[in-house]
Amino acid sequence: MSGKDVMSKSFDELLSQVNKCSKKRLSVAVAQDKAVLEAVKQADEKNIADSILVGDADEITKIGKDLGMDMKRFQIVDEKDPVAASLKAVKLVHDGEADIYMKGFLPSKTFLKSVLDKEVGLRTGKPLSHVCVFEIPGIPRLLFLTDVAFMPYPTLEDKKFIIDYSVNVARACGVECPKVAPLAAIEVVNQKMPVTVDADELTKMNEAGEIKNCIVDGPLSLDIAIDKEAAIEKGATDRKIQGDADILLFPDIHAGNLVYKAIVHMVPGVKNGCILTGTKSPVILTSRSDTCEVKVNSIALAAVEAEAAKQRAEA
């Protein structure tokens, strides 16, 4: 997809847009995990991605058959050692034999070591970040939250990278010119609150053309960013963002993660998917507690971003 495609307002719409992409190949590290294999099965059935399953072949086959998977449809690479399996799986993406890298049954620390491996990993020399996409009842668009899970205390320069990454993901989902809200507790610059100073600097960078393909308006409080009525009540009708933000940029991982978990655990009917960005190819770093639906949504999100990255490289 590209910014010229129809904007996806829900994950159902996003899944339907995946069919416009060429079918992607997914490499799974230590794939002997029921929830992951269930997501792999659905990704195959929904025509999102073919999968290469790296790990203990006996365990993978056993779990797959229990799930009713046709194992002939999947390539299995037998490697019982988790560290070696992660390196073999990431090398497939590094070498262009797969488009997307996904975590299976191994610790996040081990998985990330493979992502950053100097020989076969997906490092670019730029900072890594995390983008979570939410479909929230009552909000008529997908909402992109960053960074809620990876970068603890982003600097101003880090935030510029984070915006670039999340804008690319939003555009891959059809949001041609995403509105980015660098969030703070208040919507005015206060020199004693560095977060507001950073937000103002990012806005100026955007106005100067240093941050492209989006509209940045900060600092903004969360209510003004997502609630038009709040913007009116607070007299913020002169702002470029008035309740219609697409991307919420959090000042640090604490703010982002708290909002993320509040939405996941307190909002009925919410859907989400997440990917790691700043890598050569999309990386899916989901938690063991994430549902199969979250994993499938994440694969779909990675697929449209992989397609968009291919188009950006060819442009």
Side-chain angles (χ1 to χ4, degrees):
M1 292 180 68
S2 70
K4 295 180 180 179
D5 288 294
V6 176
M7 181 173 68
S8 298
K9 297 181 180 179
S10 68
F11 275 103
D12 285 343
E13 290 183 10
L14 183 63
L15 287 168
S16 70
Q17 292 292 339
V18 171
N19 292 327
K20 295 182 179 181
C21 307
S22 58
K23 195 173 184 182
K24 301 306 175 188
R25 286 178 66 79
L26 174 70
S27 177
V28 184
V30 192
Q32 58 266 26
D33 180 273
K34 182 179 179 182
V36 169
L37 287 178
E38 189 175 358
V40 164
K41 178 175 182 282
Q42 288 195 28
D44 176 55
E45 293 170 347
K46 293 176 183 290
N47 208 39
I48 302 170
D50 294 319
S51 296
I52 305 171
L53 309 175
V54 185
D56 187 319
D58 294 334
E59 285 295 316
I60 291 170
T61 301
K62 180 180 182 299
I63 296 170
K65 287 182 177 179
D66 288 344
L67 291 171
M69 296 172 68
D70 179 358
M71 300 311 294
K72 294 178 182 178
R73 293 184 59 81
F74 303 95
Q75 179 182 343
I76 300 176
V77 178
D78 187 29
E79 176 53 72
K80 292 178 172 52
D81 179 78
V83 174
S86 67
L87 292 174
K88 284 185 178 180
V90 76
K91 187 176 187 297
L92 291 169
V93 185
H94 178 274
D95 293 347
E97 295 180 44
D99 307 292
I100 303 164
Y101 184 41
M102 184 174 186
K103 174 180 174 289
F105 188 61
L106 76 166
S108 295
K109 184 177 180 180
T110 304
F111 179 76
L112 288 169
K113 280 185 177 180
S114 69
V115 172
L116 297 173
D117 186 87
K118 292 181 179 179
E119 300 297 324
V120 298
L122 304 174
R123 62 196 299 163
T124 62
K126 298 178 181 179
L128 305 189
S129 183
H130 185 271
V131 178
C132 182
V133 184
F134 272 109
E135 177 188 337
I136 302 174
I139 297 180
R141 62 190 180 280
L142 292 174
L143 203 58
F144 301 76
L145 278 63
T146 190
D147 183 325
V148 304
F150 193 82
M151 194 180 294
Y153 300 103
T155 64
L156 177 63
E157 187 63 19
D158 290 333
K159 290 173 184 177
K160 183 177 180 294
F161 280 113
I162 292 172
I163 290 175
D164 288 340
Y165 300 154
S166 56
V167 165
N168 282 339
V169 175
R171 285 169 61 83
C173 294
V175 186
E176 187 170 354
C177 186
K179 292 188 174 183
V180 183
L183 297 176
I186 57 175
E187 52 275 0
V188 295
V189 178
N190 184 328
Q191 295 298 325
K192 295 182 179 180
M193 300 173 73
V195 166
T196 67
V197 177
D198 279 3
D200 184 54
E201 285 297 319
L202 293 166
T203 302
K204 290 175 180 175
M205 287 181 189
N206 177 238
E207 292 169 347
E210 295 177 49
I211 299 175
K212 303 179 185 298
N213 300 318
C214 63
I215 295 169
V216 180
D217 183 11
L220 278 183
S221 56
L222 179 60
D223 52 351
I224 290 178
I226 63 171
D227 186 344
K228 187 171 182 62
E229 292 302 317
I232 293 171
E233 290 171 7
K234 286 191 169 184
T237 53
D238 59 335
R239 302 299 296 253
K240 289 177 280 188
I241 296 176
Q242 300 174 33
D244 55 352
D246 299 294
I247 297 170
L248 302 180
L249 174 65
F250 290 95
D252 58 44
I253 198 170
H254 301 291
N257 196 263
L258 287 168
V259 171
Y260 166 82
K261 287 179 177 172
I263 295 171
V264 168
H265 294 286
M266 299 172 68
V267 179
V270 70
K271 298 180 181 180
N272 78 84
C274 310
I275 59 172
L276 193 64
T277 58
T279 48
K280 289 181 180 177
S281 301
V283 172
I284 302 172
L285 176 62
T286 52
S287 167
R288 284 189 56 78
S289 63
D290 286 328
T291 64
C292 176
E293 181 183 56
V294 170
K295 290 178 168 66
V296 174
N297 288 343
S298 298
I299 296 170
L301 184 64
V304 296
E305 170 55 18
E307 182 70 15
K310 178 182 175 182
Q311 293 177 13
R312 291 195 297 269
E314 293 173 351

